[in-house]
Amino acid sequence: MSPTPPHDPSFGPDLVEVFGPQQTDGGPELVQLLTPEGERVHHPEFDLDFSADHLRGLYRDMVLTRRIDTEATALQRHGELGIWAQLLGQEAAQIGAGRALRPQDHVFPTYREHGVAWCRGIDPLDLLGLFRGVDHGAWDPAEKHFGLYTIVIGAQALHATGYAMGMQRDGVVGTGDPDRDAAVVAHFGDGASSQGDVNEAFIFAASYNAPVVFFCQNNQWAISEPIERQSRIPLYQRALGFGFPGVRVDGNDVLATYAVTQAALQRARDGQGPTLVEAYTYRMGAHTTTDDPTRYRLSDDVEHWKLKDPIARVEVYLKRNGLVDEAFLADLKKEADELGHHLREGCKALPDPEPGAMFEHVYAEETEELRVQREGFAAYHAGFESEGAR
Amino acid sequence: MSPTPPHDPSFGPDLVEVFGPQQTDGGPELVQLLTPEGERVHHPEFDLDFSADHLRGLYRDMVLTRRIDTEATALQRHGELGIWAQLLGQEAAQIGAGRALRPQDHVFPTYREHGVAWCRGIDPLDLLGLFRGVDHGAWDPAEKHFGLYTIVIGAQALHATGYAMGMQRDGVVGTGDPDRDAAVVAHFGDGASSQGDVNEAFIFAASYNAPVVFFCQNNQWAISEPIERQSRIPLYQRALGFGFPGVRVDGNDVLATYAVTQAALQRARDGQGPTLVEAYTYRMGAHTTTDDPTRYRLSDDVEHWKLKDPIARVEVYLKRNGLVDEAFLADLKKEADELGHHLREGCKALPDPEPGAMFEHVYAEETEELRVQREGFAAYHAGFESEGAR
Amino acid sequence: MSTSRITLAKGLNMGLRKAMEDDPKVLLMGEDVGKLGGVFRITDGLQKDFGEDRVIDSPLAESGIVGTAVGMALRGYRPVVEIQFDGFVYPAYDQIVCQVAKMSYRSKGRSPMPMVIRIPFGGGIGAVEHHSESPEAQFAHTPGLKVVACSNPVDGYWMIQQAIASDDPVIFLEPKRQYHADKADLDDTARPDPLFTSRVVRAGTDLTVLAYGPTVKTALAAAEAAATEGRSLEVIDLRTLSPLDMGPVLDSVRRTGRAVITHEAHVNLGIGAEVAARVSEQCFYSLEAPVLRVGGFDTPYPASRIEEEYLPDLDRVLDAVDRSFEF
Amino acid sequence: MSTSRITLAKGLNMGLRKAMEDDPKVLLMGEDVGKLGGVFRITDGLQKDFGEDRVIDSPLAESGIVGTAVGMALRGYRPVVEIQFDGFVYPAYDQIVCQVAKMSYRSKGRSPMPMVIRIPFGGGIGAVEHHSESPEAQFAHTPGLKVVACSNPVDGYWMIQQAIASDDPVIFLEPKRQYHADKADLDDTARPDPLFTSRVVRAGTDLTVLAYGPTVKTALAAAEAAATEGRSLEVIDLRTLSPLDMGPVLDSVRRTGRAVITHEAHVNLGIGAEVAARVSEQCFYSLEAPVLRVGGFDTPYPASRIEEEYLPDLDRVLDAVDRSFEF
Ligand SMILES: Cc1ncc(C[n+]2csc(CCOP(=O)(O)OP(=O)(O)O)c2C)c(N)n1
Ligand SMILES: Cc1ncc(C[n+]2csc(CCOP(=O)(O)OP(=O)(O)O)c2C)c(N)n1
Ligand SMILES: [Mg+2]
Ligand SMILES: [Mg+2]
């Protein structure tokens, strides 16, 4: 019943071409506008004229974001934070993405989007609460158009898609009014691309043509696991299989990231549907302050990526072109120092929640049983305090 | 800080080319070896010489499979089955896939794979138990190399991938020994392609280069939802985004399905990793016997697909080329009638399980608490029987 | 308006329609809820009348359905999600337990989750595996969710509207085998009981039977049968499983001194465990017998030909009543 | 061999190593279990010694991990899966509850599922949300799964080996805050208690305290403190949560007449509910007070700066003991 076939047909070249080796430098498809050496290059699809103000602004954002990160890392070392998720090396990806937003756009971040939070006008001090253990996020997501940090990997990609579907229903997509049309950005990492939720988000977004930009920071690592464990081809290509465009951008190039995200957002706002942006970057630090990357990766790699520092290249460009002067840099340094001071003092002053706060906001409408537990706890606590410790 | 860019870069043509309209007839990428009119055509990649015996065998398989299906449908109408999932129209896809297997290959089916089960030598009567409600599958998956029907959509795609990873560890992949090298087939539908589990299976299979063929019968419908709700591009292209090949084959063409599956299986056995085969077909019947497709689809579509009947085209080809004679057809009719009889009589005779059977095999090693429940139930039951009904 | 005679399926359908008419932010979403009207026809005709933007056929992915519904709720909508069968809620479990349940809490109330997740639940319809599950205890164990079960057409009509009106996420359990079973008179001008309340559905003096969803009918039948033997059983329809409305339960048990609770879910760690624990604690001096539990056995749901042996029925409830009186 | 002084993390690591040496079919799989040795270092050094084929770093997808492990088990392997933190088991919930738990049943025993799912569980480590959950009741409610929790280094060493040797799927809970806390002497020539048994860890006469995992230490501390006030508490480490080993519990409560159960999981429908229900039923005439439960409150796990107020501690256990004696 199952004869041996006369010849074994093999799959033609068009079926295997996707198996190209992982390009160590992002490959020819990498969209770049500013080289690691600080040279401005051009791209046929994604290019923009950046004003001097704009460039200085992006530079300032990155410098201050890095300062937030180093301060928080230090605060963790000093025991003021339980843990901190560093973004070192990913400043350009985040500032490029964050600054491409319009006020009416909405963002769903992971736990590492401190730079995007900065662009959304969130006081960096408000980011520390989660890591200090005093809250799960201190800002109002609706007011800031910036969701709470999501820790369950990938879950927010679906929230973003649903939010975008809500925008469609609100009639704020494709009207042509730039102050009205809106889109959503879903942030996630390379590791997250393996989660069912992220892939389902691709499916829903494609199916409903939802105005959402999937912004994946491929920082090459998911804790100890290299990107090769998650995908054998460049991640941006994942989108093609779901029927929407994917772009790989140099995530250490703030100009390119800005340009690509901006275009993807505009596409979404115009009603043309989702895009996957893969920001090709590198996690220069540990996964979090509790991680020890020396167990699983070579310091050579880190050294290699140091040469691609996202801030240094803009600095070189700005200086070489006389777009910054000493006064600007001195002001910025002062601003960073003040920010550092604000974070250090602010963090230590963050009050612990009242114990009774743990009973609050479980529901919009508290249940009778929870009221009883809350009051029982309060009485127990009160009795305990008046009695003194056993 | 967010200047309006001088021009709005749009995504180049290479980024949107995947947005082609859904090809109503499967499109040019459809691999076909036998047209609906029964004409043998050739394909540059996937072609085989089929012997007369082989062709007659495939024809017989399809005829008998259809008979199983019509008998079971009738049994449901007569109240002998609670429900039945018809495969009408999908015979070629299933027989082509099923006959491409070698004995050592392993299959993970959905609830509709009656044709594949037939190829694995499972007594069709054993398929009825699940639908009658006497068991969850009567065969030994290890013995038949055919898993139990999986009802939770997509779950089996991961099992298949894990099983294939087990084969890798057993050293039965890529040895070059045709009796040793093995692969796995995961069956699922177009609707299932939206489940996280199926997409995660793609990721794991690609990551470990597991010897698994993902065989998706795109029968255009997931109950009432058309394929467009699940994907805006041809499904086979999904694989490309995960880094392995996808092929769209005419699922109503048993020769093409055989050839493509066979090639994909060989690729897997050889250690070249996963393939997605999209068998482009049509669900001619209702989703199940409890479904009413007139609520959601046009009878015109069904009529259109009738012209592509998978059995008729082989019959035409066989007759036109003098490969079957009256005796063969009469024998086959008799064989089908006997099969029908076997199913009708066998189904009615299928014993209900003993009530106490519900306590069996919950664990390999029964727990003390379950033993107590089981014995309590037995005592209750016994007492009840001696007492008579209340 | 006026009185009509309706099934549970009809009551739910009418309730959904009313909620959609009353509030344009109410959206329905799920597999096959559109043209087909759902496999149980609960959403019949709604897409036709409210359009594809409000009655949304979804891709076949439950986590996707609930996860996007979270996003829609964050955007100000009130999504009502249909899970096709109880056994298919599990792919969405992570989104329900980690996201839906916690959103209000972690946002300090800034991001409420007014979402209803409708689940046809329970057995008795002769279905294949995964189509007869009773997952309620798992959701009731999750703070941040509210869990209710309707048992009759009139409650179906009111409770679904109340659940949709609630600013908290509600797991809404519908006893599927009752969908098209009994009819009842609906007076849609009546004032319904509040959502999170239990209700005495038959008064009695000797023993309290607690039930919800599909077993309310069983409990009432048992009470009827017991009456012929001279035993007066009080039957309470719990209706709300989280929070539990213990008031009527404790009142009743303090009077009767005995309680039996019955549900289709596995006994081990089913709702009965919690009720028994609370009643034992709070009626310690009134109980003349321990709270007895009659539920699905602690096995996976069996093949449907023996499901009637698995499911609690009138006889098993009466057997427990007998055992209670033996204490 | 000989005696060594080990932490729980070390005991588990040694136990895993032993199981892998003893049976080549044992595979480990999970996120970061390879070079990193897991975020808690429980699999430290194992990939180096057993290779990448037996200690498998997986893509970041829990359903994928458990689902492929099902396939490997069907192929004859004995996969031991690590879930990185309790809160991340939920994406795999469907595979666990619908596939792992039911495979033996639906195949009539032909396809057993010898799988261990290791879950570091519980709080007290100052972590961010989703890292301090106690999901055990949900699994214990699922027939087909067995659920155990270790509480100390020596049990860790033996129980993980026994769980791997079991032909049934075992949810294996590890109290993460004990990983590197206390050391104990391991005599690896000793004969361990069977896996599915509870154990009296401190004898007493006045009241029985039931605990498992992280709260065993709390219970022992409470007993110590109560002793100074002249109260003799018996402490039982349940060890097995499904099945429950009620023998030692009932024996004890029949002697003491009083019981308090404590766990970190939410009280509502936690393991304590089931234990209370069973004890109330089976010790009806011996109980001098109802079984009292001390657990995590019925709120989501709070911000870590107040987690110590949320978690059951010595004082709350003693408070319950006092309340028990007030009956
Ligand atoms: C569902 C889930 N599983 C596991 C984890 C534990 N975890 C936290 S971060 C992380 C790696 C994430 O990698 P990636 O998506 O690349 O993001 P990155 O941390 O590199 O920014 C893991 C496994 C989690 N938070 N959620
Ligand atoms: C997880 C899950 N969700 C929902 C269902 C209900 N259901 C059964 S079959 C089906 C449609 C499946 O469509 P497809 O994958 O195309 O396979 P087909 O039935 O067409 O063969 C649905 C939604 C299910 N069985 N499992
Ligand atoms: Mg990463
Ligand atoms: Mg289909």
Side-chain angles (χ1 to χ4, degrees):
Chain A
M1 283 282 86
S2 276
T4 326
H7 75 285
D8 247 357
S10 65
F11 289 79
D14 56 326
L15 289 168
V16 290
E17 68 172 353
V18 289
F19 293 116
Q22 181 79 19
Q23 295 89 351
T24 40
D25 275 332
E29 63 270 63
L30 193 77
V31 178
Q32 200 174 61
L33 298 182
L34 190 66
T35 68
E37 297 74 29
E39 245 162 290
R40 186 74 169 78
V41 289
H42 295 277
H43 189 274
E45 293 300 328
F46 303 96
D47 215 339
L48 286 178
D49 284 338
F50 290 87
S51 69
D53 255 8
H54 192 189
L55 290 171
R56 280 189 295 263
L58 295 171
Y59 175 71
R60 171 181 168 270
D61 287 335
M62 291 197 291
V63 167
L64 296 180
T65 297
R66 180 165 291 181
R67 184 57 173 261
I68 295 168
D69 195 53
T70 45
E71 288 292 342
T73 305
L75 283 164
Q76 195 280 337
R77 300 272 175 251
H78 288 100
E80 295 295 334
L81 299 179
I83 193 172
W84 177 249
Q86 297 167 263
L87 61 66
L88 191 69
Q90 300 178 222
E91 295 87 352
Q94 297 197 8
I95 296 303
R99 284 298 172 206
L101 295 163
R102 294 210 184 124
Q104 68 270 29
D105 297 329
H106 200 93
V107 177
F108 286 86
T110 76
Y111 42 83
R112 209 187 286 286
E113 260 64 71
H114 321 310
V116 187
W118 168 258
C119 296
R120 295 266 87 182
I122 288 171
D123 182 339
L125 192 55
D126 282 351
L127 303 175
L128 302 187
L130 175 72
F131 298 96
R132 186 173 168 88
V134 303
D135 59 35
H136 304 297
W139 59 96
D140 181 345
E143 180 203 329
K144 298 292 183 187
H145 285 287
F146 187 77
L148 296 186
Y149 279 3
T150 296
I151 284 175
V152 180
I153 297 292
Q156 76 281 3
L158 284 168
H159 306 169
T161 304
Y163 196 95
M165 290 166 66
M167 284 177 169
Q168 291 177 309
R169 281 158 183 76
D170 288 343
V172 298
V173 181
T175 70
D177 175 350
D179 293 328
R180 183 177 170 86
D181 286 347
V184 179
V185 179
H187 286 271
F188 54 88
D190 46 300
S193 70
S194 292
Q195 279 287 3
D197 273 8
V198 170
N199 292 278
E200 291 186 9
F202 292 168
I203 285 163
F204 279 64
S207 187
Y208 299 113
N209 209 34
V212 54
V213 174
F214 295 109
F215 191 90
C216 175
Q217 285 166 73
N218 175 0
N219 65 8
Q220 316 293 328
W221 293 95
I223 309 187
S224 75
E225 300 200 14
I227 174 65
E228 291 75 25
R229 182 42 76 228
Q230 321 288 344
S231 184
R232 53 204 254 177
I233 58 167
L235 265 183
Y236 78 92
Q237 296 183 9
R238 176 78 57 83
L240 306 185
F242 290 91
F244 58 89
V247 196
R248 172 176 278 189
V249 63
D250 182 347
N252 284 17
D253 173 353
V254 71
L255 306 190
T257 309
Y258 178 91
V260 166
T261 312
Q262 205 268 14
L265 276 166
Q266 196 51 46
R267 206 176 158 272
R269 293 186 202 110
D270 287 348
Q272 293 180 62
T275 305
L276 171 62
V277 176
E278 177 193 4
Y280 198 76
T281 179
Y282 195 81
R283 198 194 77 206
M284 295 299 292
H287 170 68
T288 65
T289 45
T290 60
D291 180 38
D292 173 10
T294 63
R295 291 178 71 100
Y296 55 81
R297 74 178 183 188
L298 302 171
S299 55
D300 267 13
D301 288 355
V302 183
E303 291 308 315
H304 168 79
W305 277 89
K306 268 195 188 147
L307 304 175
K308 307 188 187 204
D309 187 86
I311 301 185
R313 66 176 81 175
V314 180
E315 193 171 312
V316 167
Y317 180 81
L318 289 173
K319 285 185 174 163
R320 192 187 294 143
N321 291 279
L323 300 177
V324 290
D325 56 16
E326 284 311 310
F328 175 88
L329 294 172
D331 281 357
L332 182 53
K333 173 145 193 344
K334 199 166 147 251
E335 198 178 356
D337 288 344
E338 279 163 13
L339 184 57
H341 185 260
H342 170 61
L343 284 171
R344 285 191 304 276
E345 298 311 305
C347 180
K348 289 171 200 160
L350 279 180
D352 282 357
E354 285 299 311
M358 75 178 139
F359 293 98
E360 278 163 29
H361 305 299
V362 179
Y363 299 101
E365 201 180 330
E366 188 179 52
T367 65
E368 171 68 10
E369 10 182 89
L370 197 59
R371 188 187 57 75
V372 171
Q373 275 192 22
R374 179 169 54 75
E375 291 176 358
F377 176 81
Y380 167 80
H381 222 257
F384 200 63
E385 272 165 11
S386 65
E387 237 184 59
R390 253 172 208 273
Chain B
M1 280 283 86
S2 278
T4 327
H7 75 284
D8 245 358
S10 65
F11 290 80
D14 57 327
L15 288 168
V16 289
E17 67 173 351
V18 290
F19 292 114
Q22 181 79 19
Q23 294 88 353
T24 42
D25 276 331
E29 61 269 62
L30 192 76
V31 178
Q32 200 175 60
L33 298 182
L34 190 66
T35 69
E37 297 74 29
E39 245 163 291
R40 185 76 169 78
V41 289
H42 294 278
H43 189 274
E45 294 300 327
F46 303 96
D47 216 338
L48 286 178
D49 283 339
F50 289 87
S51 70
D53 255 7
H54 192 188
L55 290 171
R56 279 189 295 264
L58 295 169
Y59 176 71
R60 171 180 168 271
D61 287 336
M62 289 196 292
V63 168
L64 296 179
T65 296
R66 181 166 290 182
R67 184 59 173 258
I68 295 169
D69 195 52
T70 46
E71 288 292 342
T73 305
L75 283 164
Q76 195 279 338
R77 300 273 174 250
H78 288 100
E80 296 294 333
L81 299 179
I83 193 172
W84 177 249
Q86 296 166 265
L87 60 67
L88 190 69
Q90 299 178 222
E91 295 87 354
Q94 296 197 10
I95 297 302
R99 284 299 173 206
L101 295 163
R102 294 211 183 122
Q104 68 271 29
D105 296 331
H106 201 95
V107 177
F108 286 85
T110 76
Y111 43 83
R112 209 187 285 287
E113 259 63 71
H114 320 312
V116 187
W118 168 258
C119 297
R120 295 268 88 182
I122 287 170
D123 182 341
L125 192 54
D126 282 352
L127 304 174
L128 302 187
L130 175 72
F131 298 96
R132 187 173 168 87
V134 305
D135 59 34
H136 303 298
W139 59 95
D140 181 345
E143 180 203 329
K144 299 291 184 186
H145 285 289
F146 186 78
L148 296 186
Y149 280 4
T150 296
I151 284 175
V152 180
I153 297 291
Q156 77 281 3
L158 284 169
H159 306 168
T161 304
Y163 197 95
M165 290 166 66
M167 284 177 168
Q168 291 176 308
R169 282 158 182 76
D170 288 342
V172 298
V173 181
T175 70
D177 176 351
D179 294 328
R180 184 178 169 83
D181 286 347
V184 179
V185 179
H187 285 271
F188 54 87
D190 45 301
S193 71
S194 293
Q195 278 287 3
D197 273 9
V198 170
N199 292 280
E200 291 186 9
F202 293 167
I203 286 162
F204 279 64
S207 187
Y208 300 114
N209 208 34
V212 55
V213 174
F214 295 108
F215 191 90
C216 174
Q217 284 166 73
N218 174 2
N219 64 7
Q220 316 293 328
W221 293 97
I223 309 187
S224 74
E225 302 200 13
I227 173 65
E228 291 74 25
R229 183 41 75 228
Q230 320 289 343
S231 184
R232 53 205 254 177
I233 58 166
L235 264 184
Y236 78 93
Q237 295 182 9
R238 177 78 56 84
L240 307 185
F242 290 92
F244 58 90
V247 196
R248 171 176 279 190
V249 63
D250 182 347
N252 284 18
D253 173 354
V254 71
L255 306 190
T257 309
Y258 179 92
V260 166
T261 313
Q262 205 266 13
L265 276 166
Q266 196 51 46
R267 206 175 158 273
R269 294 186 201 110
D270 287 348
Q272 291 181 61
T275 306
L276 170 62
V277 176
E278 177 193 4
Y280 198 74
T281 179
Y282 195 80
R283 198 194 75 207
M284 295 298 293
H287 170 67
T288 65
T289 46
T290 60
D291 180 38
D292 173 10
T294 64
R295 290 178 70 101
Y296 55 80
R297 74 178 182 189
L298 302 172
S299 55
D300 269 13
D301 288 356
V302 182
E303 292 308 316
H304 169 78
W305 278 89
K306 267 195 189 146
L307 304 175
K308 306 189 189 204
D309 187 85
I311 301 186
R313 68 176 80 176
V314 180
E315 194 171 310
V316 167
Y317 180 79
L318 289 173
K319 285 184 176 165
R320 190 186 295 143
N321 291 280
L323 301 176
V324 290
D325 56 16
E326 285 309 313
F328 174 87
L329 294 172
D331 281 357
L332 182 53
K333 173 145 194 347
K334 198 165 149 256
E335 198 179 354
D337 288 343
E338 279 164 13
L339 183 59
H341 186 259
H342 170 62
L343 284 171
R344 285 192 303 276
E345 297 310 307
C347 180
K348 289 170 200 162
L350 279 179
D352 281 358
E354 285 299 311
M358 76 179 140
F359 293 98
E360 280 163 28
H361 305 300
V362 179
Y363 299 101
E365 202 181 331
E366 189 179 53
T367 64
E368 170 67 9
E369 13 183 87
L370 197 60
R371 187 185 60 72
V372 170
Q373 274 191 22
R374 179 169 53 74
E375 291 175 358
F377 176 81
Y380 167 80
H381 222 257
F384 201 61
E385 273 165 12
S386 64
E387 237 183 60
R390 250 173 212 273
Chain C
M1 275 163 109
S2 66
T3 307
S4 53
R5 214 164 154 69
I6 57 166
T7 58
L8 174 59
K10 184 70 188 168
L12 291 165
N13 180 268
M14 289 169 63
L16 287 169
R17 175 178 292 276
K18 186 76 175 26
M20 295 189 78
E21 281 165 3
D22 289 353
D23 184 348
K25 291 292 186 185
V26 175
L27 306 175
L28 310 191
M29 189 167 182
E31 295 156 8
D32 308 293
V33 296
K35 277 192 191 152
L36 185 63
V39 294
F40 292 108
R41 310 288 185 268
I42 305 302
T43 57
D44 193 26
L46 298 177
Q47 190 181 63
K48 191 165 151 284
D49 294 345
F50 295 98
E52 294 192 10
D53 264 4
R54 293 191 64 196
V55 180
I56 310 169
D57 268 332
S58 73
L60 208 179
E62 287 78 9
S63 190
I65 295 169
V66 174
T68 52
V70 167
M72 291 191 279
L74 290 171
R75 182 73 194 177
Y77 287 89
R78 304 182 83 86
V80 181
V81 155
E82 173 172 304
I83 299 293
Q84 198 159 77
F85 282 87
D86 32 57
F88 309 137
V89 72
Y90 298 115
Y93 199 74
D94 177 54
Q95 284 285 346
I96 297 174
V97 162
C98 297
Q99 304 296 328
V100 175
K102 295 188 175 181
M103 200 61 84
S104 167
Y105 194 67
R106 52 202 293 277
S107 70
K108 302 185 185 170
R110 287 169 178 140
S111 308
M113 268 292 121
M115 186 190 302
V116 176
I117 301 179
R118 295 181 38 240
I119 310 180
F121 85 125
I125 63 161
V128 297
E129 52 177 350
H130 308 293
H131 288 73
S132 306
E133 308 286 317
S134 298
E136 61 270 22
Q138 313 177 48
F139 297 114
H141 183 53
T142 305
L145 301 177
K146 292 178 175 175
V147 184
V148 302
C150 60
S151 70
N152 63 72
V154 176
D155 270 5
Y157 176 76
W158 294 116
M159 287 172 74
I160 189 67
Q161 293 182 62
Q162 294 168 318
I164 293 170
S166 162
D167 286 333
D168 287 306
V170 177
I171 306 289
F172 193 90
L173 298 157
E174 305 170 0
K176 67 171 88 78
R177 71 164 132 149
Q178 305 286 358
Y179 273 145
H180 304 282
D182 310 310
K183 289 195 173 179
D185 289 323
L186 172 71
D187 168 7
D188 65 6
T189 61
R191 244 183 87 103
D193 288 333
L195 183 57
F196 301 106
T197 55
S198 298
R199 185 194 293 143
V200 176
V201 290
R202 179 185 172 114
T205 52
D206 299 341
L207 183 147
T208 307
V209 183
L210 306 166
Y212 58 86
T215 56
V216 173
K217 192 174 172 181
T218 316
L220 286 169
E224 197 65 42
T228 68
E229 299 184 4
R231 265 184 195 149
S232 164
L233 309 190
E234 178 145 310
V235 179
I236 296 182
D237 181 352
L238 290 179
R239 296 182 359 120
T240 174
L241 308 181
S242 182
L244 283 166
D245 178 24
M246 290 303 288
V249 175
L250 299 178
D251 275 0
S252 177
V253 178
R254 285 189 189 121
R255 278 187 283 108
T256 63
R258 297 176 199 276
V260 167
I261 177 161
T262 179
H263 49 58
E264 292 190 6
H266 314 296
V267 169
N268 187 29
L269 277 160
I271 298 288
E274 181 63 29
V275 171
R278 292 200 204 175
V279 169
S280 301
E281 180 175 344
Q282 289 169 46
C283 303
F284 189 65
Y285 294 112
S286 324
L287 279 177
E288 293 174 48
V291 180
L292 297 181
R293 297 177 283 165
V294 181
F297 295 105
D298 292 315
T299 75
Y301 201 87
S304 65
R305 287 274 175 150
I306 48 172
E307 69 182 328
E308 295 303 338
E309 305 284 348
Y310 173 86
L311 293 169
D313 62 3
L314 182 146
D315 289 309
R316 280 175 57 209
V317 171
L318 289 179
D319 179 63
V321 169
D322 286 348
R323 282 188 287 121
S324 177
F325 278 98
E326 279 161 23
F327 269 82
Chain D
M1 273 164 107
S2 66
T3 307
S4 52
R5 218 167 151 67
I6 57 167
T7 59
L8 174 59
K10 185 71 189 168
L12 291 164
N13 179 270
M14 288 169 64
L16 288 169
R17 177 178 291 278
K18 186 75 173 30
M20 295 190 77
E21 281 165 2
D22 289 353
D23 184 349
K25 292 290 187 186
V26 176
L27 306 175
L28 309 191
M29 190 166 179
E31 295 156 8
D32 308 294
V33 296
K35 277 191 192 154
L36 186 63
V39 293
F40 292 109
R41 309 289 186 269
I42 306 302
T43 56
D44 192 26
L46 297 178
Q47 188 181 65
K48 192 164 149 286
D49 293 345
F50 295 97
E52 294 192 11
D53 265 3
R54 294 190 63 197
V55 181
I56 310 169
D57 267 332
S58 74
L60 208 178
E62 287 77 10
S63 190
I65 295 170
V66 173
T68 52
V70 167
M72 291 192 276
L74 291 171
R75 181 75 195 177
Y77 286 89
R78 305 183 83 87
V80 181
V81 154
E82 174 171 304
I83 299 293
Q84 197 158 77
F85 281 88
D86 33 57
F88 309 137
V89 73
Y90 297 115
Y93 199 74
D94 177 55
Q95 283 285 347
I96 296 174
V97 162
C98 297
Q99 304 296 328
V100 175
K102 295 188 175 182
M103 200 61 83
S104 168
Y105 194 66
R106 53 202 294 275
S107 70
K108 302 184 185 172
R110 287 168 178 141
S111 308
M113 267 294 121
M115 186 190 301
V116 176
I117 301 178
R118 294 182 38 237
I119 309 179
F121 85 125
I125 62 161
V128 297
E129 51 177 349
H130 307 292
H131 289 72
S132 306
E133 308 287 316
S134 298
E136 60 270 22
Q138 314 178 49
F139 296 113
H141 184 52
T142 305
L145 301 177
K146 292 179 174 175
V147 184
V148 303
C150 60
S151 70
N152 63 72
V154 175
D155 270 4
Y157 176 76
W158 293 116
M159 287 172 74
I160 189 66
Q161 293 181 62
Q162 292 168 319
I164 293 170
S166 162
D167 285 333
D168 287 307
V170 177
I171 306 289
F172 193 91
L173 298 157
E174 305 170 0
K176 69 170 87 78
R177 70 165 134 148
Q178 305 287 356
Y179 273 146
H180 304 282
D182 310 308
K183 288 194 175 182
D185 289 322
L186 172 71
D187 168 7
D188 65 7
T189 61
R191 243 181 86 103
D193 288 332
L195 182 57
F196 301 107
T197 56
S198 298
R199 185 194 294 143
V200 177
V201 289
R202 179 184 170 114
T205 52
D206 299 342
L207 182 148
T208 308
V209 183
L210 306 166
Y212 58 86
T215 56
V216 173
K217 191 173 172 181
T218 317
L220 286 169
E224 196 66 41
T228 66
E229 298 185 3
R231 268 187 192 146
S232 165
L233 308 190
E234 179 145 307
V235 179
I236 296 182
D237 181 351
L238 290 178
R239 296 184 356 122
T240 174
L241 308 181
S242 182
L244 283 166
D245 179 23
M246 290 303 289
V249 175
L250 300 177
D251 275 0
S252 177
V253 178
R254 285 191 188 117
R255 278 187 283 107
T256 63
R258 297 176 200 277
V260 167
I261 177 161
T262 178
H263 49 60
E264 293 190 5
H266 313 297
V267 169
N268 187 30
L269 277 160
I271 298 289
E274 181 63 31
V275 170
R278 292 201 203 175
V279 168
S280 301
E281 180 175 346
Q282 289 169 48
C283 304
F284 189 66
Y285 293 113
S286 324
L287 279 178
E288 293 175 50
V291 180
L292 297 181
R293 296 177 284 164
V294 181
F297 295 107
D298 292 315
T299 76
Y301 201 88
S304 65
R305 287 274 174 148
I306 49 173
E307 68 182 330
E308 295 302 339
E309 304 284 347
Y310 173 86
L311 293 169
D313 63 2
L314 182 146
D315 290 309
R316 281 176 57 210
V317 171
L318 290 178
D319 179 62
V321 169
D322 287 347
R323 283 188 287 122
S324 177
F325 279 98
E326 279 160 24
F327 270 83

